[in-house]
Amino acid sequence: MIDNYCLTYFRVMYDENFNMKDFCDKLGLDYDYLKDYGTDCSMEIGRNEIFNIDINEMVRVTLKDLFGKEVILSELKEKYKLEYYLERVPMLNGDTTKVNPVLSLDYDIIEFLYKTKTIDDLDYYID
């Protein structure tokens, strides 16, 4: 049996017309850091593996550099034809004596997802 674990990150999917430097500059993100978390078609922002029983706390850490920038994210999404995903990957211990994590999202996070047309991608695993 594993201990409860969770990974959260904001994934940006793009094509060959994407300018990662422009994207980072417009959002005030560290391009040199984020280019190491990208591939030829996606990048990760706010990767967080510090487990919290309330997934909302983890997601807020993931999105901390993006909150308040919904308009810019929407403009960039349209300009570069991007897809945004909030990735939530909990690995849960099936032991019923342990406290189960809170996986439902709070209103402020749902509002952010709605404003930026971000897909909530929850992939959970139970051991």
Side-chain angles (χ1 to χ4, degrees):
M1 286 274 177
I2 60 162
D3 285 334
N4 288 334
Y5 165 84
C6 189
L7 165 65
T8 62
Y9 61 94
F10 188 81
R11 182 166 46 114
V12 179
M13 298 291 297
Y14 49 81
D15 63 22
E16 66 276 353
N17 297 319
F18 182 64
N19 182 328
M20 188 184 293
K21 178 104 172 73
D22 179 57
F23 180 88
C24 291
D25 288 348
K26 290 217 168 40
L27 289 167
L29 302 174
D30 184 347
Y31 168 75
D32 291 324
Y33 176 78
L34 288 177
K35 70 180 178 182
D36 293 335
Y37 290 93
T39 67
D40 59 348
C41 65
S42 72
M43 67 187 276
E44 292 181 12
I45 299 172
R47 184 180 182 91
N48 183 14
E49 296 180 71
I50 301 171
F51 182 76
N52 189 306
I53 198 76
D54 183 351
I55 202 166
N56 291 286
E57 297 305 315
M58 293 187 69
V59 169
R60 285 189 184 96
V61 169
T62 290
L63 299 177
K64 71 180 174 27
D65 293 331
L66 302 176
F67 277 132
K69 299 176 183 177
E70 293 86 353
V71 171
I72 299 167
L73 282 163
S74 295
E75 290 169 353
L76 290 166
K77 180 179 183 122
E78 187 173 321
K79 178 179 180 178
Y80 291 114
K81 304 201 181 347
L82 305 173
E83 294 178 21
Y84 297 145
Y85 296 86
L86 174 61
E87 300 291 349
R88 300 184 294 143
V89 188
M91 299 175 90
L92 308 174
N93 184 319
D95 184 352
T96 58
T97 63
K98 296 203 177 224
V99 176
N100 291 321
V102 175
L103 298 178
S104 57
L105 295 175
D106 286 344
Y107 177 77
D108 61 323
I109 295 168
I110 294 170
E111 183 178 32
F112 174 87
L113 298 177
Y114 174 77
K115 286 180 176 178
T116 59
K117 295 183 175 121
T118 298
I119 297 167
D120 179 28
D121 188 14
L122 174 63
D123 296 319
Y124 66 92
Y125 302 91
I126 298 175
D127 182 30

